[in-house]
Amino acid sequence: MSSMGRAGVAPAWRRPVAVVSFAQYPTCRREEHRNEVEVLMPVVAEALDAVGLTKDDMGFVCSGSSDYLVGAPFSFVMALDAVGAWPPLRESHVEMDGAFALYEAWVMLQSEDIDTALVYSFGRSSSGNIRRALGLQLDPYTMAPLWPDSVSLAALQARVLVDRGIASEDDFAEVASRCLRNATSNPNAQVSGTASAGDLMRDAYVVEPLRRHACPPVGDGAAAVVLAAGERASELVERPAWITGMDHRVETHALGARDLADSPSTRLAAQAAGLVGGVASKIDLAELHAPFAHQELILARALGLADGVALNPSGGALVANPLMVAGLARIGEAARRVMDGSAHTALAHATSGPCLQQNLVCLLSDQPGPAVLGGARTAGTAGTGGTAGTAGTAGTGGTAGTAGTAGTAGTGGAPGEES
Amino acid sequence: MADTEVLSSPHILEYPYSRSVGPVIGSFLAGLRDGKVLGVRCGSGAGERVVVPPTEYDPLTGEDSGEMVEVGPGGVVTSWAWESEPLQGAPLDKPFAWALVRLDGATTAMLHVVDAGSAGAMATGMRVLPRLVEPSARVGSILDLACFVPEGSDSPVRAQPAEPGNPAQPDDPAQPDDPAQPDDPAQPDDPAQPDDPVTTLSTPIRLDYRFSAGISQSRFLRGLVEGVFIGQRCPRCAKVYVPPRGSCPTDGVPTTEDVELSDTGTVTTFCVVNVPFQGQAIELPYVCAQVLLDGANISFMHLIQGIPADEVRMGLRVRAVWKPPAERGPSLESVLCFEPTGEPDAPYESYEEYL
Ligand SMILES: [Zn+2]
């Protein structure tokens, strides 16, 4: 399927769906005591309890995780014990970040016979050497045999920004300094601090040109989100965080065939999700899944966000990057701020693959209203003509389906030590 | 619960993948073996490009790609990153640069490494030449290209063969230090002749983990050292799970009440293993059975011995045969097997629910 074809398709959704609950396990360097089920149970319970629901009320359950993180085949099946899978649930799993599981649940909720869904993800990044494990998501013929690690590939991307004068190492430090400062008010963050960019520039390189602060910490965590459709959402909470549009796009796995300084797949996904015309100027905050500091700069440029938009108020993936969880947590963090009234509209982004290969954009609003919905449909139409050139030049392969398409997915990686 | 020390152990995931490569990647790999780098034409007219490494399709449009063309041998570094502490399996066991290299005649860049000595010798835009391993050691792999070297440095075309996937150094001091190395089934016995196609590629994979058993399983495993089965009861449905995983898979709630179970139980179902297999440690034929311990609400798999294989049956009453205390560890191997107790068979209705 060509990306041009999909760019012109309006979101095929018939009724509004909202995030009504979000819970997160405080990310830690290594969860020594609890296994995956023991980590997940309190998170799933918290997300359900917050809206007075049980797993028996869920019309659909979808999870995101990767067996490569702990080296245990079908670990996601065992993780179902945290939900309770008897009598049998309508259930699915993606070998990807939980954000892509949320996408599948959002699609499922267009079906009239269900109106709630539970989405969860878990990631024990500490069990193995995550920098190496992520190398196995690469082309197995010409890349994986070299064992390129996730930080080195991100460093190749950062170098392109520096070489082209788009951003400097000081800019990376500015991003990290802001994220760490934002994290001081995030109890689920793994690292936080008040160091200035100047202070951070004294950090050693992990892989030049990426210094310690420009790389995410390795951590274990879990997250859960409850989605509800239509009136059910309004019954459950006072202010649902309505998903007004969502889309994801993927670029070629041939790293050397991509423009690593740009993220055309993010741009296309955002347009298809409804980030067109005046919508960008209405966004209050953006939670961007940028495991490496320079990737936040690439994403913000690709999305064309206005200067006033608060970027990663939670601190983002630079302060807590449990693999398979950090993307879902971006949607959860953005939704939480819509639900608590601190934002009217928010953008959440999740990524997968090396160097921002695949990107998902989710727009959230305190209004299910037709205005933004209409925007999304316009975007689809405009995309046919307006964005085909971009798609043809830079995108590739169209939109990957969610369920089981991506093999080992994931992104980021880490310096191998706690920051 | 908090008094239980949680168990963890090293866990190695290792497998020698053999992959079919197809005609395009196969030609690329055969080219490397024969000392040249091949790309593939994609697009047409002003949009024509040469993609390296080649793909079966245009990575931008998905259209079929065209003819193979030789590129290089030299090229230009389009980006690089300095690896000062190479990880396990890296192509070089000394500091090097990861690099995207656009070979002369190519439109796209390929990922590889540059042996430059120091970061100071690296620059975007610098010219590099390939260094291939000795012809007799080439197998048709991206690793036949050992690395790139800065143009003008000595002996650019000879190097010792790289050993795919082998650790340059242990990457985690907590990991075992004498890992078995993976077999390499695609290693040819006879040197390949030029123009022989490459059809398969061996990509050995090894990952090292530290597996954590969690709180509930740790209690179960410690019980095995003491010669007892410890299960856990669900506070909601009262079912007893062994081994416990910390939750009731039906209700999704934590199980916190420990239950010491009898070491007698009932065979709910079984199979007779007749076919030899790699790693087989027990004389054939033998019986693998699901054993439902008395007082438990879930069965687990174990061996049945002390009875001819053809006499094992559903409902057979069995008792655990424990290893002597000094030989037990936190593992189900502390139980040698289950043997018949000699009691009458359990009635079908008593285990019907657990089939
Ligand atoms: Zn129960």
Side-chain angles (χ1 to χ4, degrees), chain A residues 260-316:
Chain A
L260 296 178
D262 193 11
S263 186
S265 53
T266 297
R267 190 178 300 113
L268 278 172
Q271 287 167 349
L275 194 73
V276 290
V279 177
S281 65
K282 293 181 192 158
I283 299 291
D284 295 323
L285 65 89
E287 282 283 340
L288 305 178
H289 184 189
F292 295 90
H294 67 275
Q295 293 176 340
E296 191 195 280
L297 299 169
I298 294 171
L299 291 168
R301 277 164 52 96
L303 291 165
L305 295 175
D307 286 343
V309 175
L311 292 181
N312 283 324
S314 71

Side-chain angles (χ1 to χ4, degrees), chain B residues 234 236-237 241 248 250-251:
Chain B
C234 173
R236 194 167 294 171
C237 66
Y241 296 100
C248 172
T250 299
D251 294 307

Side-chain angles (χ1 to χ4, degrees), chain A residues 306-392:
Chain A
D307 286 343
V309 175
L311 292 181
N312 283 324
S314 71
L318 269 181
V319 304
N321 188 41
L323 292 177
M324 308 296 138
V325 176
L328 181 62
R330 303 283 68 73
I331 297 176
E333 290 282 3
R336 188 166 66 76
R337 286 168 172 79
V338 172
M339 287 190 284
D340 71 14
S342 55
H344 293 293
T345 55
L347 182 150
H349 158 270
T351 194
S352 183
C355 302
L356 302 174
Q357 184 191 0
Q358 184 168 2
N359 295 284
L360 176 151
V361 173
C362 174
L363 297 184
L364 296 149
S365 168
D366 58 2
Q367 303 294 325
V372 184
L373 171 61
R377 294 204 166 134
T378 309
T381 313
T384 316
T387 62
T390 315

Side-chain angles (χ1 to χ4, degrees), chain B:
Chain B
M1 299 289 289
D3 60 339
T4 302
E5 190 189 333
V6 170
L7 292 163
S8 66
S9 75
H11 168 54
I12 298 168
L13 191 65
E14 188 168 31
Y15 37 96
Y17 265 127
S18 286
R19 299 178 181 277
S20 299
V21 295
V24 173
I25 301 287
S27 297
F28 173 71
L29 296 177
L32 290 175
R33 181 199 60 205
D34 300 340
K36 58 193 176 192
V37 181
L38 298 176
V40 73
R41 288 191 200 283
C42 291
S44 58
E48 185 176 273
R49 284 156 291 121
V50 175
V51 173
V52 182
T55 49
E56 294 89 345
Y57 51 88
D58 184 331
L60 300 190
T61 65
E63 304 285 325
D64 287 350
S65 49
E67 60 169 340
M68 308 284 294
V69 293
E70 186 172 347
V71 296
V76 173
V77 170
T78 64
S79 186
W80 59 280
W82 190 252
E83 183 83 271
S84 55
E85 296 174 43
L87 301 180
Q88 182 185 1
L92 298 173
D93 59 4
K94 57 182 173 178
F96 63 86
W98 291 104
L100 290 169
V101 176
R102 189 175 63 237
L103 293 170
D104 298 339
T107 315
T108 65
M110 66 182 289
L111 178 73
H112 217 289
V113 301
V114 179
D115 184 3
S118 69
M122 290 299 302
T124 300
M126 72 188 284
R127 289 203 51 86
V128 291
L129 286 170
R131 178 189 285 164
L132 296 164
V133 301
E134 292 288 349
S136 62
R138 295 181 203 153
V139 297
S141 154
I142 189 71
L143 296 169
D144 290 351
L145 173 52
C147 59
F148 286 90
V149 294
E151 201 168 83
S153 59
D154 293 329
S155 64
V157 291
R158 289 287 185 270
Q160 292 304 307
E163 293 182 45
N166 284 4
Q169 58 188 41
D171 65 353
D172 180 348
Q175 307 297 350
D177 53 13
D178 61 343
Q181 291 310 318
D183 295 334
D184 190 352
Q187 200 77 25
D189 295 327
D190 304 310
Q193 300 305 309
D195 301 326
D196 275 1
V198 171
T199 56
T200 60
L201 171 69
S202 173
T203 54
I205 299 295
R206 179 199 163 101
L207 293 170
D208 292 278
Y209 298 94
R210 178 149 287 271
F211 172 76
S212 182
I215 297 165
S216 300
Q217 285 193 90
S218 293
R219 295 177 74 75
F220 170 76
L221 293 169
R222 289 191 182 284
L224 295 175
V225 179
E226 305 302 320
V228 294
F229 292 110
I230 295 175
Q232 286 192 329
R233 192 188 314 275
C234 173
R236 194 167 294 171
C237 66
K239 283 185 174 154
V240 173
Y241 296 100
V242 61
R245 283 179 41 80
S247 96
C248 172
T250 299
D251 294 307
V253 298
T255 51
T256 51
E257 183 196 345
D258 287 351
V259 180
E260 194 173 314
L261 292 155
S262 157
D263 57 6
T264 55
T266 300
V267 170
T268 59
T269 185
F270 66 97
C271 66
V272 183
V273 180
N274 285 295
V275 181
F277 57 94
Q278 193 179 0
Q280 172 201 333
I282 306 162
E283 200 178 323
L284 296 174
Y286 66 87
V287 177
C288 241
Q290 288 295 126
V291 175
L292 178 68
L293 292 180
D294 296 339
N297 294 93
I298 196 165
S299 61
F300 60 83
M301 187 181 285
H302 218 292
L303 295 168
I304 305 297
Q305 301 206 323
I307 179 173
D310 60 1
E311 292 177 24
V312 174
R313 54 203 180 268
M314 290 168 71
L316 182 70
R317 294 286 296 158
V318 291
R319 169 178 282 117
V321 180
W322 294 90
K323 282 183 177 172
E327 294 175 26
R328 290 183 206 142
S331 155
L332 259 180
E333 290 180 11
S334 293
V335 179
L336 284 168
C337 61
F338 283 78
E339 285 185 345
T341 63
E343 299 165 85
D345 286 1
Y348 179 71
E349 302 72 42
S350 68
Y351 59 87
E352 176 182 33
E353 190 187 334
Y354 303 101
L355 292 174

Side-chain angles (χ1 to χ4, degrees), chain A residues 115-156:
Chain A
D115 56 12
T116 54
L118 170 68
V119 179
Y120 65 86
S121 63
F122 60 97
R124 182 183 282 278
S125 314
S126 70
S127 291
N129 184 320
I130 208 64
R131 285 176 64 177
R132 293 187 74 242
L134 286 172
L136 297 182
Q137 69 186 320
L138 302 168
D139 159 30
Y141 310 106
T142 63
M143 291 174 74
L146 301 168
W147 287 96
D149 68 277
S150 49
V151 177
S152 297
L153 295 183
L156 287 173

Side-chain angles (χ1 to χ4, degrees), chain A residues 55-56 58-61 80 83-91, chain B residues 249-250:
Chain A
K55 57 111 174 171
D56 296 322
M58 293 297 108
F60 184 58
V61 175
L80 266 177
V83 180
W86 187 265
L89 303 166
R90 191 188 297 193
E91 185 269 339
Chain B
T250 299

